[in-house]
């Protein structure tokens, strides 16, 4: 018979109580209103991110060893985003304010991981230089640090925007015309080439939503906080979950074709 020690049960209960306390204390303010569409979008997407995480992690069992890292990274992206979404949802539901700090912390961790995916899917099929990895990392950091510094008023808002745009341009150059794109075009099998190409269009079109949000929401105030958050939330489904699904698809296709 399975036996639990008294100490084990007590500490499990204590942890559960600790985890629930902050929620109970703010129970009133935290109730999601039926007409709070932004709050509802935060909820829906949190759950989609949780489900995607379980899916990506479980599916690592199905693919060849060399594809497991890419799939694990997809799951890490959705896991980290899910936790941030819980916090962002609470900030929004309780205060009605845009959770800028949590957004940027989430971006600061998940965007480099998304960038690493370009490197990982190439490395699964051929030799790639570490330079590809580092250039993608540097572009990402310049983009995010510039944007954040501008958004919190640490530097001029326009200067932050321009620095961020330069970082993004550098990333686009690497994946469309730099070494990464050459390796994909010359050495990758068809399925990897097609995944690579879809992924870079996500980085072009799907990612354009964030600087547009910065411009319309922050620089010229043409878009409300409500609209901005819903748009960012939908963008994240595309840029985090769909991006992961593309990688899952190529990992499964390549693993099955090598059997
Ligand atoms: C999952 C989250 C993702 C993919 C977030 C991506 C964020 C960006 C591509 C942000 C880009 C920005 C610029 C290109 C200019 C400056 C302002 C930023 C940081 C919003």
């Amino acid at each position: 018979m399975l036996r639990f020690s008294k100490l084990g049960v007590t500490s499990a209960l204590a942890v559960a109580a600790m985890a629930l306390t902050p929620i109970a204390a703010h129970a009133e303010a935290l109730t999601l209103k039926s007409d709070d569409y932004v709050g509802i979008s935060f909820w829906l997407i949190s759950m989609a991110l949780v489900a995607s995480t379980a899916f990506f992690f479980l599916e690592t069992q199905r693919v060849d060893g060399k594809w497991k890292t890419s799939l694990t990274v997809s799951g890490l992206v959705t896991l980290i985003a899910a936790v941030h979404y819980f916090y962002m949802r609470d900030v929004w539901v309780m205060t009605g304010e845009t959770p800028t700090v949590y957004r940027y912390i989430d971006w600061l961790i998940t965007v480099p991981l998304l960038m690493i995916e370009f490197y990982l899917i190439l490395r699964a099929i051929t030799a790639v230089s570490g330079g590809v990895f580092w250039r993608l990392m540097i572009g990402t950091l310049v983009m995010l640090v510039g944007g954040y510094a501008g958004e919190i008023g640490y530097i001029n808002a326009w200067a932050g925007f321009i620095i961020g745009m330069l970082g993004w341009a550098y990333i686009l150059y690497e994946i469309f015309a730099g070494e990464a794109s050459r390796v994909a075009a010359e050495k990758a099998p068809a399925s990897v080439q097609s995944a690579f190409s879809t992924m870079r269009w996500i980085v072009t079109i799907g990612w354009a939503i964030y600087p547009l949000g910065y411009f319309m929401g922050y620089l010229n105030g043409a878009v409300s906080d409500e609209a901005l958050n819903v748009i960012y939330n939908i963008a994240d489904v595309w840029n985090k979950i769909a991006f992961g699904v593309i990688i899952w698809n190529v990992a499964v296709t390549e693993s099955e074709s090598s059997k």
Side-chain angles (χ1 to χ4, degrees), residues 59-78:
E59 290 287 301
T60 55
Q61 298 171 42
R62 225 180 114 182
V63 299
D64 281 356
K66 60 182 181 182
W67 287 104
K68 286 190 200 298
T69 315
S70 312
L71 219 46
T72 304
V73 171
S74 293
L76 289 177
V77 167
T78 52

Side-chain angles (χ1 to χ4, degrees), residues 77 81 103-104 106-108 110-111 114 142-148 151 157 160-169 171 202-203 206-215 232 235-237 239-240:
V77 167
R103 271 261 190 238
Y104 271 91
D106 173 67
W107 291 357
L108 197 61
T110 57
V111 178
L114 291 169
V142 169
M143 177 178 88
L144 295 177
V145 172
Y148 187 65
E151 193 134 13
F161 183 69
I162 291 164
I163 294 171
M165 292 297 276
L166 289 174
W168 184 37
I171 294 172
I202 289 187
V203 171
W207 286 24
I209 292 167
Y210 307 96
L212 265 174
Y214 185 104
F215 182 78
Y232 276 177
D236 281 352
V237 173
N239 297 328
K240 292 186 165 74

Side-chain angles (χ1 to χ4, degrees), residues 191-229:
S191 67
V192 175
Q193 276 190 23
S194 115
F196 191 90
S197 147
T198 316
M199 284 158 64
R200 67 185 176 191
W201 283 111
I202 289 187
V203 171
T204 315
I205 296 170
W207 286 24
I209 292 167
Y210 307 96
L212 265 174
Y214 185 104
F215 182 78
M216 311 234 289
Y218 182 53
L219 285 176
N220 77 3
V223 167
S224 68
D225 280 1
E226 281 82 3
L228 192 66
N229 278 288

Side-chain angles (χ1 to χ4, degrees), residues 26-250:
H26 300 286
E28 207 137 26
L30 248 178
T31 305
L32 183 59
K33 307 274 187 311
S34 55
D35 61 352
D36 179 1
Y37 296 110
V38 183
I40 292 173
S41 78
F42 273 116
W43 253 104
L44 284 173
I45 292 161
S46 325
M47 293 309 126
L49 288 164
V50 169
S52 310
T53 305
F55 177 77
F56 293 137
F57 284 165
L58 287 169
E59 290 287 301
T60 55
Q61 298 171 42
R62 225 180 114 182
V63 299
D64 281 356
K66 60 182 181 182
W67 287 104
K68 286 190 200 298
T69 315
S70 312
L71 219 46
T72 304
V73 171
S74 293
L76 289 177
V77 167
T78 52
L79 173 66
I80 293 160
V83 175
H84 284 91
Y85 262 75
F86 298 149
Y87 284 91
M88 293 201 283
R89 181 194 68 204
D90 290 356
V91 170
W92 177 267
V93 170
M94 287 196 282
T95 67
E97 275 166 27
T98 298
T100 308
V101 184
Y102 290 120
R103 271 261 190 238
Y104 271 91
I105 297 175
D106 173 67
W107 291 357
L108 197 61
I109 309 171
T110 57
V111 178
L113 288 172
L114 291 169
M115 277 285 105
I116 290 175
E117 294 282 28
F118 282 94
Y119 174 75
L120 288 176
I121 69 162
L122 294 180
R123 221 193 52 175
I125 44 133
T126 183
V128 201
S129 83
V132 170
F133 173 88
W134 287 112
R135 283 192 295 275
L136 293 173
M137 264 326 96
I138 290 165
T140 306
L141 283 180
V142 169
M143 177 178 88
L144 295 177
V145 172
Y148 187 65
E151 193 134 13
I152 61 165
Y154 187 67
I155 57 173
N156 175 276
W158 271 103
F161 183 69
I162 291 164
I163 294 171
M165 292 297 276
L166 289 174
W168 184 37
Y170 189 58
I171 294 172
L172 292 175
Y173 174 80
E174 177 65 31
I175 57 182
F176 277 93
E179 189 186 340
S181 85
R182 278 198 304 277
V183 172
E186 287 159 17
K187 308 227 175 92
S191 67
V192 175
Q193 276 190 23
S194 115
F196 191 90
S197 147
T198 316
M199 284 158 64
R200 67 185 176 191
W201 283 111
I202 289 187
V203 171
T204 315
I205 296 170
W207 286 24
I209 292 167
Y210 307 96
L212 265 174
Y214 185 104
F215 182 78
M216 311 234 289
Y218 182 53
L219 285 176
N220 77 3
V223 167
S224 68
D225 280 1
E226 281 82 3
L228 192 66
N229 278 288
V230 172
I231 292 170
Y232 276 177
N233 291 357
I234 294 170
D236 281 352
V237 173
W238 184 246
N239 297 328
K240 292 186 165 74
I241 300 178
F243 193 90
V245 170
I246 293 166
I247 290 159
W248 166 79
N249 182 51
V250 70

